[in-house]
Amino acid sequence: MMNEDGQLVDLYIPRKCSATNNLIPAKDHASVQFNIGNIDDNGVYIQGDYKTVAFCGYLRKMGGTDQAVNRLMVKEKVIKLTKGEREEKDKREEKERAPRHRK
């Protein structure tokens, strides 16, 4: 909520999990939030330029955080897939698009 001056006055602003889009409750002590810095073409960190991601405790408990970070960074074009990963992804997408026949 904002006051007349345009300042944020809420005591608690809930976060959303970057991978599942679920709200992260205040009592989820296993959740994490971190910043992934952007770099220039020479591999040098651009001061103050980063992407913030948050992950819920459930995702961390299931061991899916590493895969979620990779998927988000590929989507944001921060990292690129290797040739083998691209081929695997293309096969998986082609299989999902193929019509299923019932016997």
Side-chain angles (χ1 to χ4, degrees):
M1 192 159 100
M2 296 185 135
N3 62 9
E4 295 84 25
D5 298 332
Q7 295 174 333
L8 206 57
V9 294
D10 286 334
L11 295 177
Y12 174 71
I13 300 172
R15 297 177 295 162
K16 285 181 84 172
C17 179
S18 299
T20 63
N21 284 334
N22 292 335
L23 284 177
I24 299 174
K27 294 291 184 181
D28 188 355
H29 297 294
S31 65
V32 293
Q33 176 176 324
F34 52 92
N35 299 328
I36 299 175
N38 292 325
I39 57 173
D40 62 11
D41 294 334
N42 297 324
V44 178
Y45 172 65
I46 302 169
Q47 191 69 32
D49 190 16
Y50 53 85
K51 294 183 184 349
T52 303
V53 293
F55 296 106
C56 60
Y58 173 76
L59 186 70
R60 295 187 64 217
K61 177 181 168 187
M62 300 305 288
T65 308
D66 186 47
Q67 182 182 8
V69 169
N70 287 338
R71 187 171 37 88
L72 289 169
M73 294 302 110
V74 167
K75 185 178 178 183
E76 293 284 331
K77 298 185 174 151
V78 174
I79 60 174
K80 296 179 182 177
L81 293 174
T82 63
K83 184 179 178 183
E85 290 170 331
R86 271 195 312 271
E87 291 172 355
E88 185 178 311
K89 180 183 174 191
D90 292 342
K91 285 180 187 178
R92 189 171 50 249
E93 288 175 353
E94 186 176 314
K95 190 176 184 181
E96 290 173 358
R97 279 189 250 127
R100 297 185 180 156
H101 298 287
R102 292 186 175 197
K103 292 184 179 182

